[in-house]
Amino acid sequence: MVRPLFLPVAGLALALVSAGAAAAPEPLSDRLIALRSEIEALNHELDLLREEQRTTLAGLAAQRAELAAGVDRQQLAAREAQRKLDEAAARIAEAGAGGDALRPLIEQAVDALELHVRAGLPFKVEERVAEIETFRGQLANGSVPPARAINRLWAFFEDEFRLTRDNSLHSQTIALGDERLLADVAKLGSMQLYFRTRDGRVGQAVPVAGGWRYVVAEQPDDAARIAALFDALKKQIRQGYFELPLLAGAAR
């Protein structure tokens, strides 16, 4: 007699259903809780990034305002120097061509020029003052006639005006702490002066009471920005967008 086959098949189907029930996924509520926690963590991270961005933008806005104020001060100094030169030229014209009448007026203009150099950015001050002193000596001993001295004085002032517009790379001796050492300097018009020593230290010339002080950039980001400026100037890139630090004690 042949046995029916439906009973074993039904038993197999029941076994498969039981196995499927045992492998059922975790409850939906647990998954939702895990996803909610992940979303909250991401939102917190996003808030931190937004706050960091706001802080960075505020800092950049402050630096932009400081640099704009520096430009205004330098333009004012240039206009003042121009005014003094114009006044000296007017007095010279009124005094006539006599050498004795011209010499005191030229000497006053030379004194004003030296004061401007010493009070300005510490860029090759010793060399510039030495040239003025040489000119003053030539004027005093008569080796340069007053008529020629006027032209030479005008050339001095033109050089100073050119320095206010020039972004360039030079070498000069700086006083860094107790050291006097040769360094590369990046001059940005007559606004800012950054330096890089031969041993890799970088920083900025900072105005202090009675003069200037060279400050090393301690933060890696500040040092990297200054190094990027030197690299650009070395490649003859004198125009463009640069983020540069104003180190502690810089003009506000």
Side-chain angles (χ1 to χ4, degrees):
M1 180 176 180
V2 179
R3 296 176 180 272
L5 298 178
F6 63 86
L7 289 177
V9 173
L12 178 61
L14 181 60
L16 290 175
V17 171
S18 298
E26 61 181 331
L28 181 59
S29 59
D30 292 344
R31 295 182 58 193
L32 290 176
I33 291 173
L35 289 173
R36 185 177 295 109
S37 298
E38 184 177 353
I39 290 172
E40 289 176 355
L42 291 174
N43 281 332
H44 179 66
E45 183 177 354
L46 182 59
D47 289 340
L48 291 178
L49 290 174
R50 286 173 176 168
E51 182 61 29
E52 182 180 353
Q53 184 181 43
R54 281 193 293 268
T55 301
T56 301
L57 291 176
L60 291 175
Q63 287 191 13
R64 180 177 180 181
E66 291 166 358
L67 292 175
V71 171
D72 291 340
R73 286 193 296 270
Q74 295 303 326
Q75 290 178 344
L76 179 62
R79 288 195 297 269
E80 180 65 15
Q82 180 68 61
R83 183 187 64 79
K84 291 180 179 178
L85 182 59
D86 293 341
E87 289 177 353
R91 290 196 298 268
I92 289 172
E94 292 175 359
D100 292 338
L102 290 175
R103 183 171 286 107
L105 300 175
I106 297 174
E107 289 174 349
Q108 292 177 15
V110 172
D111 292 341
L113 177 63
E114 181 178 353
L115 182 62
H116 166 77
V117 171
R118 291 187 181 278
L121 203 67
F123 171 69
K124 294 187 178 294
V125 173
E126 295 178 359
E127 293 90 333
R128 290 155 66 198
V129 169
E131 290 185 8
I132 295 174
E133 291 292 347
T134 298
F135 174 64
R136 182 183 279 116
Q138 293 171 344
L139 183 64
N141 64 27
S143 61
V144 177
R148 286 179 53 196
I150 295 173
N151 293 332
R152 183 72 184 95
L153 181 62
W154 177 250
F156 273 119
F157 276 93
E158 284 187 330
D159 289 342
E160 292 301 314
F161 295 147
R162 178 181 54 79
L163 289 178
T164 65
R165 302 187 299 269
D166 180 41
N167 299 329
S168 51
L169 192 63
H170 304 268
S171 294
Q172 71 177 49
T173 300
I174 66 172
L176 191 58
D178 296 331
E179 302 176 84
R180 284 188 62 84
L181 64 163
L182 187 65
D184 296 327
V185 295
K187 184 185 71 65
L188 305 182
S190 55
M191 291 173 49
Q192 301 293 340
L193 186 77
Y194 294 92
F195 68 87
R196 179 169 63 184
T197 64
R198 302 304 161 87
D199 60 5
R201 288 175 290 177
V202 297
Q204 180 185 9
V206 173
V208 295
W212 294 80
R213 181 166 62 94
Y214 292 91
V215 177
V216 174
E218 301 291 348
Q219 298 298 323
D221 289 346
D222 292 341
R225 292 185 178 104
I226 296 174
L229 172 66
F230 275 93
D231 291 342
L233 292 177
K234 188 174 182 180
K235 296 174 183 176
Q236 306 297 317
I237 301 173
R238 292 185 170 85
Q239 294 181 346
Y241 176 78
F242 297 94
E243 289 186 7
L244 294 170
L246 291 176
L247 301 183
R252 291 291 189 260

